[in-house]
Amino acid sequence: MEVKLAFPQDRPPLSIISAAKIAGVSVIIDPTLASGSVPTLHFSSGNFIHGVNTILRYIARAASVSSFYGQDDIQIDQWLEYAPLILSGSEFEAACSFLDGYLATRTFLVGYGLSIADIVVWSNLTGTGQRWESLRRSKKYQSLVRWFNSVAAGYGDALDEVTSAYVGKRGIGKSPAPSLKEKMPGLKENTSGHEIDLPGAKVGEESNEFVENVLKDIETLGVKYDVVTYTSDYFPKLMEMAESLIKQGKAYIDDTPKEQMRSERMDGVESKRRNSTVEENLSLWKEMVNGTRRGTQCCVRGKLDMQDPNKSLRDPVYYRCNPDPHHRVGSKYKVYPTYDFACPFVDALEGVTHALRSSEYHDRNAQYYRILQDMGLRRVEIYEFSRLNMVYTVLSKRKLLWFVQNKMVEDWTDARFPTVQGIVRRGLKIEALIQFILEQGASKNLNLMEWDKLWTINKKIVDPICGRHTAVLKEKCVLLTLANGPEEPFVRILPRHKKYEGAGKKATTFANRIWLEYADASVISVGEEVTLMDWGNAIIREIKTDNGTITQLVGELHLEGSVKMTKLKLTWLSDIEDLVSLSLLEEDEDFLDNLNPCTRREALALGDPNMRNVKKGEVIQLERKGYYRCDVPFVRSSKPIVLFAIPDGRQKSTLIVTGA
């Protein structure tokens, strides 16, 4: 549908235009409204919508960028209201200070992808012109600048066109801008094919997303820490150490091509640059520090032993030149230390007495000690342990990142993901995880564990206390009419758990028309006596069919019958308006192993009305189905309740999402 954006020429809605460009929404620009008028989006049908935020929400919902509005619409809405009021007024610097602190451990304002919240704040900062640029150059708010640069780097083509067309040195509407036709000839073209990638992904540096999730994992596990430190906090001292080693002849600058360097290290061949003078090395080090073209061709290597049988000691790389912005410190540095160089240095300076490292690093222990020795720092003892591996499971962070970036999972908290947040979201209790880990111990032997053991421990924790509820699969569910059933529905208050009073009570409705699952109805015979759970027995008198499909059952209550004598014990739900509608999704057990893109199967079901009271994070049991954790509780009838199935160590794992 063709849309036209009308606005006053002196107050262009930068956030709307930027969002449309990034979202791939084709917009015709009409800057002819009178000064002071509200931006309006006109549709070819004759309809229109008013207001910046209303238009932004429309664009976000029509966007090809999935994270634009779907992550946390309430939080996004708060940013939409906040940004224009604060960033354009007298509280500008205070707002920048707040944003700087807020973004210290975040890559985006909301969730783990670009949303219209980022676009609005970014646009309002840009719209102030020189006011923001002065603060940006002052490096006063490094986290805010890092975030601003990251958004600009990830979506530069779209944002550059918009800002060059509408923003002057004094800000939006404060100085004349070039004509729209001259500067933005392609705006009307649909850019939905524009490739959206994670900001920073192409430069190969760590994303703040990892940092945020590590901190969340620590909090989830109940671990209390004194302080959070970052290797980037030590960048100045690391650079000083690198330069000191160069001056001492313990390190040198090498411009050998990467593949050739790898081959020479394998064969024990010294680099032609290994014996360069200190002056030559310092000159090239300066080129690296300044991020020049020559500097990007070089790296710093430790001068250790090219003949050592342990290849990690064959002149490892200490520093590389990379002009791209760092996820925490922005563009302040052009050179960055390798893990091998930074790890022993930071450990020693922070007072670490024993570095706990997984045994996969065993061959690098000698390198760790040698580097500490060359640095002249105290010895840090290494204590090795074996990594815990789970069968049919990828645990590598960088391999899991592939699933996130390729949209094969929701995000790092996806309930199918083997992350702390993922398995907790799926229903694992922290006490079960801790018990499982303690049982393994700090072994140095290879551990390859079955998931069943972990989930079995978890079941022993949740089963004695979780409330019980009822759900009936909706597909072809069958109505059982009880001829002698109650004329009017009545309610009984029953325990949610028959052996645990703390689980509370639930209201169960009894009526003369009840729903059964088709699978249950299909195994019932005429004249058979069955047990309706939590009610009593009933005798089936008639089975109605249509082309071989069961459509209805007719029976009568036989409450004096013995439940011990019946073969079938059936779950059921009264046919009342208060039933909760459920959407069930089943997960394949081996999706990480086989990379099957179709890892969920959907089925619809009905749930008892008491599930409206289930709280987020609460674990329940659906009778005859299994255990479930509430991921999204009931809010309103149109908003789904979400439940994740919890494996119990015996049955095939399933994932269920329920909706009201």
Side-chain angles (χ1 to χ4, degrees), residues 149 151 198 201 224 230 242 246 249 287 325 332 366 485 558 561 649 652:
N149 292 342
V151 173
L198 292 175
K224 305 296 182 182
Y230 302 86
I246 292 172
E287 296 286 337
K332 184 175 182 180
H558 186 233
K652 180 182 178 182

Side-chain angles (χ1 to χ4, degrees), residues 581 583 632-643 657-660:
S581 179
S583 171
V632 179
F634 179 82
V635 178
R636 55 185 179 272
S637 298
S638 60
K639 192 80 172 177
I641 298 173
V642 180
L643 298 179
V657 180
T658 75

